[in-house]
Each structure stands twice: as structure tokens, then as C-alpha cells.
């Protein structure tokens, strides 16, 4: 990786952390640059806690113009907060999140949009005070990937924030571990690629055949049931948090979590929800225009193979569609009875749900837990 540091405000703790990170990048074999150029993969910068940064000054939106780049490197913003400030903010959110409906005055943070209180309340109720604080910090510094460093004279710990709300806590007592862990998390994320280069294949499915299928209506019903149970967090719209006129060039206008799908025997394909990054999608209240037909995975694994449906909107599926279709390739198959009209054996697991929920307990008589490989527990990579 090629890494450059573009200092923002001069903050002693952050200068120490930035120096430690750049040294660690170098020791791990990465290339440290004096300034961003056409080779740069990562840019580190700094910002002040609680002080809104104008989007015109935020590297997420200006790095290409400022350094005459033809690509957009990943921007990581370092922000420093004292332990006392940090605890006060968490305690504030613990208190105000108890109020339902929320009081907008409790969420009046500098630089945020008037409707931000709704997002902060929803996110805080879902992920706790730390997630509400995360969205405030990201909005104020105009950056998605943020390293929030806790400490006054020296770093004590740090939280690494990202788009989907992850917030791993890294202790700084052992400086070697501290910097190495942060660098490995960043490099792990940037060493992956989003599997969203979907490919349209085959002839469009006729409108007549689509109307005869039972799965589209069943998917819409499943969405309503999930919506009634508030399984999915409400979509996060950037415009509800902060006014950023140039955001479409740097980051999706909204983010919605999760994906669900079910197998359609008549098509020998998976019917899945579309991505919420291209346009607003309420996965708790979908229509047939929010569905995509997944017939396979590209040979190079970079996306799904999809068939369009005549007479309806055909937006791309979520990246999770690749994950789900890949599961189908590995699952055992069964042959259905003739009245199913299945042209080929079908996966033994028909329906799948990708959600951002923790599981407190499960009954092994009805559910099977399959653990991930150990590295994924230490350095998880978020979905796109």
C-alpha cells in the first residue's frame, strides 16, 4: 500500500499517533509518501472533535482536486477526544436515548442537519450510545472512516469507525500492538474489493412468466413481516445527517443494511433484494421493483450474474447476493416433486437472510451455528 499523511489541525496527541502509524506502515513493508499522488491508496489526516468541518475543506471531497489525482484514495481522519469528554458524550446519549419519541433538542449538534435527530435516535437505539456518537463524529468531520483517539497527553485507546457502524476498540497500553492493530485493520479492509461488478446475462424474463411466480409476492410479504418486527435499521440518508452538496462524487447518498433472498425453482435462480446504495430502498416494505434475479456468480467472483425482468425496474442486487449465491453452490441439493415445476435440483436451504443483528441465544435443535475462520473475528471486513 502507498500511504500519505496530510496534516489537518495541529493536535499533539494526533501528531504522535499519525507518526506512529506512518512508522508502522513503513515497518510492515508499505510505502510512505510525502504527498498523495497517482499511486496513493490511503491518506491520513486530522480534524478537531466537536468542530464541524466545511465539506470544501474535507479531503474526502477535495483530495482529487487538491492533489490533481485521477482516483479517490481511502481517507482516514484522526480525531482526538479527552477521556472526560468521551464519557460525557456517551452518558448524554445513554440518557436521551431513553426518551421515545426523541426530543430534537437533545440531538442539536453543531453542523448537523435539522432531521439528524431521527437518524441518531434510530442508530443509538440499535447500536447504543457509541453508534450515535459515531454518526455525529463522522458527520462533523465529513469522513466515513474515522479513528477516534481517546487521550489527552498520550493515546489511551482508539475506536475505528466505518460506514456500517463498526467500532472496534483498540487499547494503546502496548504501543506496538496499538499501531500494528490499526494498520492491519486498515490494510485488511483496503486489500479487499467490493463484489458489485454484476453482470447481466441471458434473455429478459417475460412479464407473463414473472407474474406466474410465487416468490416475488412471498418476498414482499417477508419484507413486511421483517418490517413489522423492525429487523432492519431504517436507512441512513446522508442528507438527513449533514448537508454535503458534492457527496454523490465521493460516497453513496444513503446506506441500508441487509439483504434477503429465496430460491425460485421455475427460474433455477435466487430472487434477492436490490442494493440500497444506488437508491433508497426500505427493506421492510419492498415491492417487485426492489427485487433482482440472481442466476450465478461471475467466474472471477467480482459480482453476481443477473437476469432482467421485462416490464419492471431492474436495479443491481446487493453485494450479499454474491455471498448467498455462493452458498447455494456449496449447499447440498434435492430434487422436488413434479408439481413444483423445478427444472433442476434445488439447494436444500431455500431462503436466506443477511442481517446486522447479534444473537443472544439459539436452540441447536432448530438452528445450526457455523463459525467463521478465526482471522475474520479479529479483522472483519464490512459488506458493501
Amino acid at each position: 500500500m502507498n500511504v500519505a499523511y496530510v496534516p489537518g489541525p495541529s493536535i499533539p496527541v494526533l501528531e504522535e499517533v499519525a507518526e506512529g502509524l506512518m512508522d508502522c506502515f513503513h515497518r510492515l513493508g508499505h510505502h510512505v509518501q510525502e504527498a498523495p499522488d497517482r499511486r496513493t491508496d490511503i491518506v491520513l489526516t486530522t480534524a478537531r472533535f466537536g468542530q464541524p468541518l466545511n465539506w470544501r475543506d474535507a479531503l474526502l471531497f477535495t483530495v482529487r482536486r487538491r492533489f490533481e489525482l485521477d482516483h479517490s484514495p481511502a481517507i482516514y481522519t484522526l480525531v482526538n477526544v479527552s477521556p472526560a469528554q468521551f464519557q460525557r458524550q456517551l452518558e448524554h446519549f445513554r440518557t436521551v436515548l431513553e426518551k421515545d419519541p426523541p426530543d430534537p433538542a437533545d440531538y442539536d449538534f453543531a453542523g448537523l442537519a435539522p432531521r439528524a435527530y431521527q437518524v441518531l435516535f434510530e442508530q443509538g437505539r440499535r447500536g447504543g450510545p457509541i453508534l450515535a456518537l459515531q454518526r455525529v463524529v463522522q458527520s462533523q468531520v465529513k469522513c466515513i472512516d474515522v479513528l477516534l483517539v481517546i487521550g489527552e497527553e498520550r493515546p489511551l485507546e482508539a475506536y475505528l469507525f466505518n460506514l456500517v457502524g463498526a467500532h472496534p476498540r483498540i487499547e494503546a497500553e502496548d504501543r506496538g500492538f496499538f499501531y500494528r492493530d490499526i494498520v492491519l485493520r486498515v490494510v485488511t479492509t483496503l486489500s479487499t474489493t467490493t463484489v458489485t461488478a454484476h453482470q447481466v446475462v441471458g434473455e429478459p424474463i417475460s412479464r407473463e412468466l414473472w407474474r406466474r411466480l410465487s416468490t416475488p409476492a412471498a418476498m414482499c410479504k417477508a419484507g413486511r413481516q421483517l418490517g413489522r418486527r423492525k429487523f432492519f435499521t431504517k436507512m441512513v440518508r446522508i442528507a438527513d445527517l449533514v448537508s454535503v452538496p458534492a457527496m454523490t462524487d465521493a460516497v453513496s447518498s444513503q446506506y441500508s443494511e441487509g439483504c434477503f433472498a429465496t430460491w425460485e425453482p421455475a427460474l433455477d435462480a435466487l430472487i434477492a433484494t436490490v442494493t440500497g446504495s444506488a437508491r433508497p430502498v426500505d427493506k421492510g416494505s419492498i415491492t417487485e421493483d426492489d427485487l433482482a434475479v440472481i442466476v450465478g456468480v461471475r467466474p472471477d467472483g467480482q459480482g453476481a450474474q443477473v437476469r432482467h425482468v421485462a416490464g419492471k425496474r431492474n436495479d443491481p442486487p446487493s453485494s450479499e447476493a454474491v455471498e448467498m449465491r455462493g452458498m447455494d453452490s456449496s449447499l447440498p441439493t434435492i430434487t422436488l416433486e413434479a408439481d413444483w415445476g423445478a427444472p433442476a435440483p434445488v439447494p436444500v436451504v431455500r431462503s436466506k437472510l443477511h442481517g446486522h443483528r447479534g444473537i443472544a441465544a439459539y436452540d441447536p435443535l432448530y438452528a445450526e451455528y457455523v463459525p467463521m475462520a478465526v482471522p475474520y473475528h479479529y479483522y472483519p471486513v464490512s459488506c458493501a
Side-chain angles (χ1 to χ4, degrees):
M1 294 281 178
N2 294 286
V3 190
Y5 173 46
V6 179
S10 178
I11 302 168
V13 173
L14 296 185
E15 290 177 1
E16 176 185 337
V17 171
E19 181 180 348
L21 288 173
M22 296 299 280
D23 179 66
C24 187
F25 273 112
H26 175 71
R27 286 188 289 104
L28 291 178
H30 302 286
H31 303 287
V32 173
Q33 301 176 294
E34 290 295 325
D37 62 22
R38 60 181 179 80
R39 301 167 299 165
T40 304
D41 301 297
I42 306 165
V43 176
L44 304 182
T45 188
T46 60
R48 294 190 184 280
F49 181 81
Q51 295 187 14
L53 183 66
N54 190 297
W55 70 270
R56 294 178 178 84
D57 299 319
L59 284 182
L60 182 66
F61 301 100
T62 63
V63 67
R64 294 182 63 162
R65 173 179 53 79
R66 182 173 170 183
F67 294 97
E68 300 181 346
L69 306 181
D70 59 3
H71 72 294
S72 297
I75 309 297
Y76 281 79
T77 299
L78 282 56
V79 181
N80 175 229
V81 62
S82 72
Q85 282 180 301
F86 181 62
Q87 291 303 323
R88 280 198 300 271
Q89 289 291 332
L90 293 183
E91 187 56 40
H92 170 77
F93 280 116
R94 287 190 191 98
T95 301
V96 302
L97 287 169
E98 293 296 322
K99 301 179 185 178
D100 190 4
D103 182 350
D106 292 331
Y107 301 86
D108 185 17
F109 292 92
L112 270 64
R115 296 189 302 274
Y117 77 95
Q118 298 170 328
V119 179
L120 299 180
F121 175 73
E122 174 71 19
Q123 293 279 290
R125 278 295 187 96
R126 182 63 175 271
I130 187 67
L131 185 53
L133 177 60
Q134 173 176 340
R135 298 312 189 196
V136 171
V137 174
Q138 290 170 320
S139 300
Q140 289 183 327
V141 304
K142 308 298 186 295
C143 191
I144 301 298
D145 295 298
V146 174
L147 183 70
L148 183 64
V149 180
I150 318 299
E152 290 183 285
E153 297 181 357
R154 59 186 179 84
L156 300 176
E157 60 184 3
Y159 289 83
L160 191 58
F161 297 156
N162 71 0
L163 176 63
V164 301
H167 46 270
R169 174 178 171 271
I170 305 111
E171 293 185 352
E173 183 176 354
D174 180 337
R175 287 292 194 277
F177 167 82
F178 179 66
Y179 293 121
R180 180 182 175 86
D181 192 69
I182 294 170
V183 167
L184 288 179
R185 289 180 185 278
V186 171
V187 170
T188 299
T189 298
L190 297 181
S191 294
T192 64
T193 56
T194 55
V195 286
T196 53
H198 306 306
Q199 178 184 28
V200 178
V201 298
E203 294 296 320
I205 298 164
S206 70
R207 189 66 182 168
E208 292 72 26
L209 174 56
W210 180 256
R211 285 174 175 164
R212 292 200 301 269
L213 301 177
S214 62
T215 45
M219 283 286 290
C220 294
K221 181 178 180 180
R224 291 192 296 272
Q225 292 295 329
L226 290 167
R228 286 177 56 189
R229 291 161 176 80
K230 298 182 179 179
F231 184 87
F232 295 112
T233 301
K234 291 181 181 178
M235 175 180 294
V236 176
R237 291 182 174 87
I238 305 301
D240 289 340
L241 280 169
V242 65
S243 177
V244 185
M247 66 185 172
T248 53
D249 294 329
V251 64
S252 297
S253 299
Q254 64 277 320
Y255 160 73
S256 67
E257 70 177 45
C259 174
F260 57 100
T262 197
W263 189 264
E264 174 47 67
L267 296 178
D268 197 29
L270 195 67
I271 309 297
T273 50
V274 301
T275 179
S277 297
R279 64 176 175 86
V281 177
D282 180 358
K283 291 171 184 173
S285 180
I286 62 171
T287 69
E288 65 172 25
D289 281 340
D290 301 320
L291 300 175
V293 179
I294 317 301
V295 297
V297 176
R298 286 177 42 160
D300 60 6
Q302 294 303 303
Q305 293 177 321
V306 303
R307 283 184 69 186
H308 282 175
V309 178
K312 88 169 193 72
R313 183 166 181 162
N314 290 283
D315 287 317
S318 301
S319 59
E320 295 92 339
V322 177
E323 163 192 292
M324 293 178 173
R325 193 61 182 82
M327 290 171 62
D328 290 331
S329 301
S330 302
L331 285 168
T333 58
I334 57 174
T335 300
L336 298 175
E337 296 179 358
D339 56 358
W340 277 88
V346 299
V348 69
V349 177
R350 182 176 188 181
S351 300
K352 304 168 189 69
L353 170 64
H354 173 116
H356 299 184
R357 284 285 190 181
I359 303 298
Y362 68 95
D363 187 338
L365 288 176
Y366 302 100
E368 180 182 5
Y369 169 65
V370 181
M372 297 185 296
V374 172
Y376 290 102
H377 288 277
Y378 289 97
Y379 300 109
V381 177
S382 298
C383 53

